[in-house]
Amino acid sequence: MAVRPLDADQAVVVAPMFKALGDPVRLRLMSMIASMPEIRVCDLTLAFDLSGPAISHYLKVLREAGLVDADRRGTWVWYTVRPEAFRQLGARACSTRIGAVTSTRSRCWSQRAGPHHHPMLR
């Protein structure tokens, strides 16, 4: 499968998203938010042994990266996933990387070199 590498503009868009997901707590928060149509911040906070301000900071990073939206309704803040962000991650970065590794892996293994000889697969 032939895929095109990210261009500079695409990389600028998706890099902050991957950076935001690079922290285990933020990744878990993202997973929890994505598992529901919407979820309250207080429900997210209960799942962690962290202070409310710490969770708020992690959620702010996810918002600033464009991965989630927050909607204040009265005293509650509800979080939802931004579907367009996941389309960007998947279409521009994940499929490119997965396609490149799969293509390279097939080529390397078919030449009997094994994956350990290719720098992308080490």
Side-chain angles (χ1 to χ4, degrees):
M1 173 165 117
V3 294
R4 293 183 2 218
L6 290 172
D7 64 32
D9 292 337
Q10 291 170 326
V12 167
V13 170
V14 297
M17 295 177 191
F18 278 113
K19 184 176 180 181
L21 294 174
D23 177 85
V25 173
R26 289 192 301 260
L27 184 58
R28 282 188 61 210
L29 284 166
M30 189 71 240
S31 174
M32 292 173 68
I33 295 166
S35 72
M36 310 278 291
E38 58 182 7
I39 189 167
R40 294 179 303 173
V41 70
C42 64
D43 297 323
L44 294 169
T45 303
L46 292 174
F48 295 90
D49 188 25
L50 296 169
S51 68
I55 295 294
S56 292
H57 173 73
Y58 285 120
L59 291 168
K60 177 184 174 189
V61 172
L62 294 174
R63 278 193 321 272
E64 289 176 349
L67 293 168
V68 298
D69 281 324
D71 180 30
R72 180 173 291 281
R73 297 182 214 150
T75 59
W76 302 112
V77 178
W78 293 80
Y79 281 84
T80 56
V81 168
R82 297 188 67 207
E84 63 275 8
F86 279 90
R87 279 193 292 276
Q88 288 176 332
L89 286 173
R92 293 187 178 160
C94 294
S95 63
T96 299
R97 180 72 178 133
I98 291 167
V101 169
T102 302
S103 172
T104 303
R105 187 174 290 156
S106 298
R107 193 169 47 251
C108 288
W109 286 340
S110 68
Q111 296 171 356
R112 300 252 186 211
H116 56 281
H117 293 290
H118 194 283
M120 282 181 59
L121 301 174
R122 287 186 190 152

